[in-house]
Amino acid sequence: MELEIDIEAPWPGDTDWVDLAERALEALVQVAPELGHERLLTSVLFTSDSQVHTLNREWRAKDKPTNVLSFPMLERVELLNLQQDGPPEMLGDIALAAETCAREASEKNVSIQDHATHLLIHGLLHLAGLDHEISDADAEAMEALETKALAILAIADPYGDRN
C-alpha cells in the first residue's frame, strides 16, 4: 500500500511523521497482510482538532472532536478479493487530531509518537473493514491485531488489560 501523507499544524515538527506512518503500516502488514496490496492507496492527514471536529460533524453527524477518523472507500470483501493487476485502488482516508492525540498520550503516560502510531494502526484496520463497535468478539479481534502490530514496533499494549 502507498500512503499519501499530509502534515499540518499543530503537529510537532520534531518528529518524522511520514516515517512513523510508514513504519506503522509495515508492522501492520505483518499481522494484516491484506493491507500490503501494492494497488492500495490511503491518504493520511495529520491535522488539528478543529479540522477533525469539522470532518466528524460533516461526514459522521457527530458534533465533537475525536482522536482519529477513518473513511473507508472499499468494502472488506472488495479488499480481500482485490486482483493483482489493475489501477490503484483508494482504500480510504484517515485524519488524526493533534491536540487530542497529545492530550490522550499525556493521560496514558506514553509518547505522542507511540499514541499516534496506535491511532494510525487502529484507523488502517477500520479502513480494512474491521470494527470494534459491532461486538465484543470483533473488538477483541481488532485489538489483538493492533497489539501484535504495536509489539513488532516495541510499543506496549495500549489496552493493558491482557495477559
Side-chain angles (χ1 to χ4, degrees):
M1 176 187 330
E2 181 182 341
L3 298 177
E4 289 186 349
I5 301 169
D6 191 16
I7 303 156
E8 300 177 346
W11 282 89
D14 61 348
T15 296
D16 185 342
W17 299 108
V18 172
D19 182 63
L20 182 142
E22 289 172 350
R23 285 185 293 113
L25 175 60
E26 287 172 12
L28 184 56
V29 166
Q30 293 181 51
V31 299
E34 65 273 21
L35 290 171
H37 200 293
E38 291 183 9
R39 290 180 53 204
L40 292 175
L41 178 64
T42 295
S43 71
V44 178
L45 175 62
F46 290 84
T47 192
S48 65
D49 275 20
S50 64
Q51 180 66 21
V52 170
H53 184 166
T54 299
L55 291 168
N56 206 20
R57 183 179 58 242
E58 288 179 7
W59 294 98
R60 297 180 66 228
K62 295 184 178 187
D63 193 11
K64 62 181 182 176
T66 189
N67 52 15
V68 62
L69 290 174
S70 299
F71 300 99
M73 295 181 191
L74 292 177
E75 296 291 327
R76 181 144 180 87
V77 68
E78 293 173 303
L79 171 61
L80 295 175
N81 292 313
L82 191 60
Q83 299 299 309
Q84 288 299 326
D85 295 326
E89 285 284 343
M90 191 69 181
L91 182 62
D93 302 315
I94 296 173
L96 283 89
E99 299 92 337
T100 297
C101 185
R103 186 187 74 253
E104 289 175 349
S106 177
E107 290 168 357
K108 295 171 183 285
N109 200 28
V110 299
S111 71
I112 188 172
Q113 293 83 0
D114 284 358
H115 191 52
T117 299
H118 175 220
L119 294 176
L120 281 166
I121 288 170
H122 183 87
L124 286 165
L125 287 171
H126 273 303
L127 294 185
L130 302 176
D131 192 343
H132 54 90
E133 296 181 354
I134 295 172
S135 70
D136 288 344
D138 288 305
E140 289 174 14
M142 187 171 172
E143 289 172 8
L145 290 173
E146 291 173 27
T147 302
K148 288 177 186 175
L150 291 168
I152 292 167
L153 297 166
I155 297 174
D157 178 351
Y159 301 103
D161 59 358
R162 280 188 270 287
N163 299 336

